[in-house]
Amino acid sequence: MTTDGTPIPIACTLDAGSLAERAGEWRSFVTSCVVEVEAGTTTVRMVLADSPTALATAASLGQREKHCCGFFDASIELEAERRSLVLRVPGGAEEAMATFVALLTP
C-alpha cells in the first residue's frame, strides 16, 4: 500500500533489456556474495557472505529492486551470526516471487 492506502500494482517497470541485465546482476550477486538462499512463497532470504562487498551489493540491489518493483519489500537483517537481504511480496504476488527466485540461478 502507498501512504494514502492505494494498493501498489504488482508489476515491474523495467523494459526487457533492463530486466535481462538486472537478472544477470542478481545471478552474479548470488554466485559471489550469497552463501544460502531460503525461498518461500512470499519471501526470499539471501544469507550474505561475511564481506563489506556483499553487504554493499545487497543494499544496492535491494534498493534498485524496490524502485522498479514497488510491491517488493526489501530489508537487510543484521543478526549476531549472519547478515541477510530479505525480499517480501504481499499475498497475491506469489507468482512474481516464484519468477524472481527462479531467475536467481543460472
Side-chain angles (χ1 to χ4, degrees), residues 36-87:
E36 183 179 358
V37 176
E38 302 166 0
T41 57
T42 59
T43 305
V44 62
R45 174 184 310 277
M46 291 165 266
V47 180
L48 305 176
D50 187 17
S51 76
T53 299
L55 188 57
T57 304
S60 175
L61 272 172
Q63 183 178 33
R64 289 186 289 135
E65 199 63 32
K66 176 69 179 164
H67 181 61
C68 68
C69 296
F71 65 99
F72 270 71
D73 176 40
S75 62
I76 293 179
E77 295 182 357
L78 304 173
E79 301 174 56
E81 299 299 321
R82 69 182 189 171
R83 301 178 291 189
S84 303
L85 172 60
V86 180
L87 299 175

Side-chain angles (χ1 to χ4, degrees), residues 6-58:
T6 306
I8 296 172
I10 298 172
C12 180
T13 61
L14 294 177
D15 61 34
S18 297
L19 181 60
E21 183 178 319
R22 179 70 55 82
E25 286 184 80
W26 278 109
R27 284 188 208 94
S28 177
F29 168 68
V30 169
T31 300
S32 64
C33 297
V34 174
V35 296
E36 183 179 358
V37 176
E38 302 166 0
T41 57
T42 59
T43 305
V44 62
R45 174 184 310 277
M46 291 165 266
V47 180
L48 305 176
D50 187 17
S51 76
T53 299
L55 188 57
T57 304

